[in-house]
Amino acid sequence: MKKRIWVFAEYVNCTLDRVALELLTKAKELASGLTGETEVAAVLLGSRIGSTCKTLAEYGAEKIYLAESDELSLYNPMLYAPIIAELVQKEDPDIFLFGATAIGSELGPTVAAQLKTGVAAHCVDMRIDENEHLVASVPSFGGKILGEILCPDTRPQMASVKPGIFVQGEPEEGEAEIIRVDVSGIKADNLPLKALSLEKKEIEGVPLDKAEVVFCGGYGLGCKDCWEKLEKLAAIFGGAAACTRPVVDEGWAPGEHVMVGTSGKSIRPKAYVGFGISGATHHICGMKDSGLVINVNKDEKAAVFEVSDAGAVADLNKVLDQLILKLN
Amino acid sequence: MALKIVVCIKPVPDPDYYDKVSIDPVTKRITREGIPTIINPVDKNGIEAALKLKAQYGGKVTVITMAPPNATENLKEALAMGADEAVLLSDRAFGGADTLATSYTLAKGIEKIGGFDIVFCGTESADGATAQVSSQLGEWLGVPHLWSVFNMEASSEQCLRVKTKAENGFMEWDIKLPCLLGVSRELNKPRFISAMGIIKAKNKPISIWGKSDLDVEDERLGLTGSPTKAGAIFTPDLKRKGEMLTGSAEEIADAIIEKLRAAGVNIPTQGDACSIEGGAQ
Ligand SMILES: Cc1cc2nc3c(=O)[nH]c(=O)nc-3n(C[C@H](O)[C@H](O)[C@H](O)COP(=O)(O)OP(=O)(O)OC[C@H]3O[C@@H](n4cnc5c(N)ncnc54)[C@H](O)[C@@H]3O)c2cc1C
Ligand SMILES: Nc1ncnc2c1ncn2[C@@H]1O[C@H](COP(=O)(O)O)[C@@H](O)[C@H]1O
């Protein structure tokens, strides 16, 4: 029988979340590790789908299960989960991958509970072993420990992956067979859970995941003014400013969307320059895949130096001022 | 309306010490000696949310955990915060549970408590951090559930108006009781324990239930009931060469620019506005 690998394609506010493309790229790679016939498919729910199917095909979806209805325009787990679970029961995929976005982190385990199968949460690596099982590496203790998770007996073997963990491949010409899922009968009304609205914030400047250089500030920044200096430096480079959790908690940075780490973003810029960061596992977990890593910290014993290509024991304020002075 | 509220709390090794966690080279097990066990930080936001609702509408707050017997210490802390009663689900048969088996066992415990209007979980536990128990518990309980709740108010007797996180934004919902909410740490600021709280906690009941106290199917419990199985564990090697840049702040700035240049980063030249627009793609 054909081995099927599915990817949930999160489509919100008429935009496809790019994690779906990262997962499709990985799914293709996993498929090549399986013997016999394989098929990579995307599962897409929503309304006004537009050219999304084409995009999914270009990134490796050979088949797309499409549930299109105005009732699905806003995500609702009470509508989405049963549609997906029913589809799984009908088609019996081997592997099913979800992006660990805010929506995927809820939908994945919900679908799994309905199917009574297992999910490896927040994988940082995946492979197929000699028994053709999915082996997923998941972080625990803030990323200090990695553990392998298998789901040997139940299907599908599910896994969630945060955006930015896997690299998105290059698009290629491709066609996908579109299977329309009948959702004509569904109604969002009368459910005990009603989605009222989705508000999107416009992100200022270069988004973290697109920046080739990221300037990251820690609690050592000391104040909001200093964060603004960091943003200025990032703007000079056309890069992005990011931070650790205390910087969000203190209200210096605009919000969690610029926080890097286990409960924030995972980034892999060409270069990462950190200022006043101690190097807690929770943060390092999110930036360890960066190209060049430089850190400035006044404490020569700071753990962050161990995970840096280069470091400087210095007052970050002075170094920031010098960098801005030289380049502005 | 008097509310019956249940809060799921998990004892976890204190995340402030995770840098010190390692794998014993001989036993191949995680060593966490000397690391104190605390209530999973975000679960305190769940307790706080419950206590606030109780203050507003009256009712009862029960905290529940599935954990080894020594978790009574953590339950006492929850009682000292203001919860009314505590339940510890503890049995060898519960051991080795993944999120599906954990949420099943918690659901059975909550069933035995006898009805609820709202169940609170945290978004995720600090140690395992799967962020799955909340949604899966909602499924076992068969009630509507939401995850990553950062704002909540009662919109009517039987309904809450709730906000959850979305990528770069948020969603707004109406959710009818009974329901389950996985709360995030932005929801509120958990209260500190008072001396009075500690004294009052002494007279509050802690029930300890094992397998035989619950109406459970054995094959759904613990390791047996867990579709996921754990394989090898290892510590990622993240060490880099750690070359030190020395000199004055200016010299360090120069060295950083040089390193960035060598790494292929576009270095803006002074007064060159275009490079600001065109730096990164
Ligand atoms: C469940 C959980 C999840 C978490 N998730 C995340 C996450 O996703 N991301 C994250 O970042 N954190 C996360 N954390 C927090 C994390 O554990 C650390 O507390 C945090 O990363 C520390 O941030 P920091 O390095 O900025 O601050 P600190 O640890 O306070 O370090 C500040 C550093 O600045 C240096 N410094 C001070 N002044 C100066 C100066 N003038 N010049 C130079 N250096 C200076 C100091 O020497 C120090 O090393 C999480 C914690 C928990 C419990
Ligand atoms: N063993 C447990 N006992 C009680 N509650 C738990 C347990 N495990 C997880 N939870 C709850 O589920 C939430 C999410 O945990 P997790 O899925 O492990 O990240 C936690 O914040 C707790 O509220």
Side-chain angles (χ1 to χ4, degrees):
Chain A
M1 214 177 77
K2 221 187 236 177
K3 295 222 172 83
R4 299 179 162 87
I5 305 183
W6 284 14
V7 167
F8 174 66
E10 183 177 324
Y11 186 76
V12 175
N13 213 17
C14 294
T15 355
L16 179 71
D17 196 290
R18 72 181 176 104
V19 72
L21 307 180
E22 297 166 3
L23 293 180
L24 279 172
T25 306
K26 194 68 186 182
K28 270 202 298 190
E29 187 192 310
L30 292 174
S32 69
L34 291 165
T35 52
E37 241 192 307
T38 60
E39 180 180 82
V40 171
V43 178
L44 177 61
L45 287 76
S47 71
R48 286 175 289 140
I49 298 297
S51 62
T52 307
C53 290
K54 187 167 171 291
T55 311
L56 292 169
E58 284 171 358
Y59 283 88
E62 297 159 79
K63 194 182 260 181
I64 296 167
Y65 296 94
L66 175 63
E68 202 173 8
S69 160
D70 285 342
E71 303 289 315
L72 296 171
S73 62
L74 278 179
Y75 160 73
N76 184 332
M78 292 194 88
L79 288 174
Y80 275 49
I83 292 172
I84 296 171
E86 197 177 314
L87 201 58
V88 167
Q89 271 161 342
K90 211 165 102 198
E91 303 286 332
D92 196 22
D94 228 48
I95 296 175
F96 197 174
L97 309 178
F98 280 74
T101 57
I103 286 175
S105 295
E106 172 176 85
L107 189 58
T110 301
V111 168
Q114 295 183 355
L115 297 166
K116 310 281 182 283
T117 190
V119 195
H122 308 153
C123 304
V124 293
D125 202 7
M126 279 191 247
R127 63 182 171 89
I128 302 289
D129 74 2
E130 61 285 2
N131 303 318
E132 307 228 348
H133 288 152
L134 178 72
V135 183
S137 299
V138 306
S140 57
F141 295 97
K144 189 72 205 246
I145 306 275
L146 291 178
E148 291 188 334
I149 300 286
L150 290 100
C151 180
D153 305 320
T154 54
R155 292 292 174 270
Q157 309 162 78
M158 292 178 63
S160 73
V161 184
K162 284 175 55 163
I165 295 287
F166 294 139
V167 180
Q168 171 183 325
E170 291 298 323
E172 286 166 23
E173 278 293 311
E175 284 284 324
E177 182 191 352
I178 294 179
I179 312 284
R180 287 202 170 257
V181 183
D182 179 17
V183 283
S184 54
I186 63 156
K187 277 256 157 288
D189 269 357
N190 305 326
L191 289 174
L193 176 63
K194 197 174 285 178
L196 304 173
S197 63
L198 166 73
E199 307 280 337
K200 283 274 177 184
K201 274 185 246 151
E202 278 312 313
I203 295 193
E204 286 175 34
V206 182
L208 262 190
D209 51 52
K210 298 251 160 58
E212 76 168 13
V213 52
V214 169
F215 295 92
C216 195
Y219 190 59
L221 288 179
C223 64
K224 196 175 166 95
D225 285 352
C226 198
W227 163 260
E228 281 162 9
K229 246 192 252 178
L230 198 73
E231 279 187 322
K232 187 170 171 189
L233 181 63
I236 293 172
F237 272 91
C243 66
T244 61
R245 189 153 109 174
V247 179
V248 177
D249 290 350
E250 293 293 332
W252 303 335
E256 261 191 356
H257 61 283
V258 291
M259 182 174 95
V260 170
T262 33
S263 38
K265 299 267 189 238
S266 294
I267 56 169
R268 42 171 82 240
K270 212 182 251 184
Y272 164 108
V273 191
F275 298 90
I277 292 169
S278 61
T281 9
H282 289 114
H283 178 69
I284 302 309
C285 187
M287 52 64 72
K288 61 179 174 41
D289 295 324
S290 305
L292 172 72
V293 174
I294 306 177
N295 266 289
V296 180
N297 193 308
K298 67 174 183 193
D299 174 9
E300 62 180 314
K301 294 206 185 67
V304 79
F305 290 134
E306 282 175 34
V307 294
S308 305
D309 298 300
V313 181
D315 181 355
L316 67 91
N317 288 291
K318 294 197 181 127
V319 178
L320 266 180
D321 286 341
Q322 281 295 330
L323 282 167
I324 292 172
L325 193 73
K326 281 177 187 293
L327 299 168
N328 201 8
Chain B
M1 110 178 134
L3 292 171
K4 284 200 213 168
I5 309 175
V6 177
V7 188
C8 299
I9 67 171
K10 181 182 179 188
V12 296
D14 188 339
D16 281 349
Y17 295 78
Y18 288 178
D19 293 315
K20 304 198 169 46
V21 173
S22 61
I23 297 173
D24 186 303
V26 182
T27 63
K28 300 279 178 232
R29 303 179 103 178
I30 297 169
T31 57
R32 41 163 117 163
E33 234 161 89
I35 304 184
T37 300
I38 61 166
I39 297 177
N40 181 42
V42 73
D43 296 352
K44 286 194 174 175
N45 298 83
I47 299 174
E48 180 63 35
L51 294 175
K52 280 222 175 77
L53 281 174
K54 182 190 159 182
Q56 221 175 338
Y57 298 99
K60 182 159 154 191
V61 176
T62 309
V63 288
I64 185 168
T65 188
M66 181 188 94
N70 54 4
T72 43
E73 286 311 308
N74 304 102
L75 290 172
K76 278 181 197 154
E77 187 185 343
L79 294 174
M81 273 179 83
D84 299 295
E85 57 175 34
V87 173
L88 170 61
L89 305 176
S90 205
D91 197 305
R92 277 188 182 280
F94 302 159
D98 70 359
T99 63
L100 193 67
T102 300
S103 52
Y104 172 77
T105 312
L106 286 171
K108 289 298 176 181
I110 292 172
E111 203 172 88
K112 185 172 164 97
I113 292 170
F116 63 89
D117 296 296
I118 309 176
V119 174
F120 285 110
C121 283
T123 38
E124 62 182 28
S125 58
D127 52 353
T130 69
Q132 296 185 157
V133 168
S134 158
S135 307
Q136 297 195 320
L137 177 55
E139 287 298 312
W140 285 116
L141 293 170
V143 295
H145 53 89
L146 285 171
W147 182 80
S148 78
V149 172
F150 68 92
N151 189 288
M152 177 185 89
E153 54 190 270
S155 62
S156 76
E157 280 255 311
Q158 283 308 314
C159 190
L160 298 171
R161 175 70 51 92
V162 159
K163 286 184 185 153
T164 59
K165 293 185 194 172
E167 299 308 288
N168 307 318
F170 65 89
M171 283 188 79
E172 198 164 20
W173 310 80
D174 272 341
I175 188 166
K176 281 211 178 111
L177 309 188
C179 67
L180 177 144
L181 301 177
V183 304
S184 74
R185 59 195 192 94
E186 292 84 358
L187 178 66
N188 54 38
K189 229 173 136 25
R191 66 195 60 190
F192 291 108
I193 292 171
S194 66
M196 200 54 202
I198 295 171
I199 294 168
K200 279 191 184 160
K202 290 210 163 73
N203 296 318
K204 292 178 180 174
I206 300 182
S207 313
I208 302 176
W209 296 336
K211 186 178 92 164
S212 58
D213 298 302
L214 304 178
D215 176 22
V216 286
E217 295 170 44
D218 284 9
E219 68 276 11
R220 292 235 168 269
L221 297 174
L223 201 57
T224 325
S226 298
T228 61
K229 305 285 179 237
I233 52 170
F234 47 97
T235 41
D237 181 17
L238 304 174
K239 258 201 165 41
R240 299 198 185 213
K241 62 175 179 281
E243 171 200 344
M244 294 317 273
L245 310 173
T246 52
S248 66
E250 185 177 2
E251 287 164 325
I252 289 169
D254 282 331
I256 291 174
I257 293 169
E258 254 340 288
K259 293 244 168 242
L260 290 175
R261 193 194 309 277
V265 173
N266 219 347
I267 308 295
T269 46
Q270 218 160 34
D272 175 7
C274 300
S275 62
I276 297 178
E277 282 7 293
Q281 290 308 317

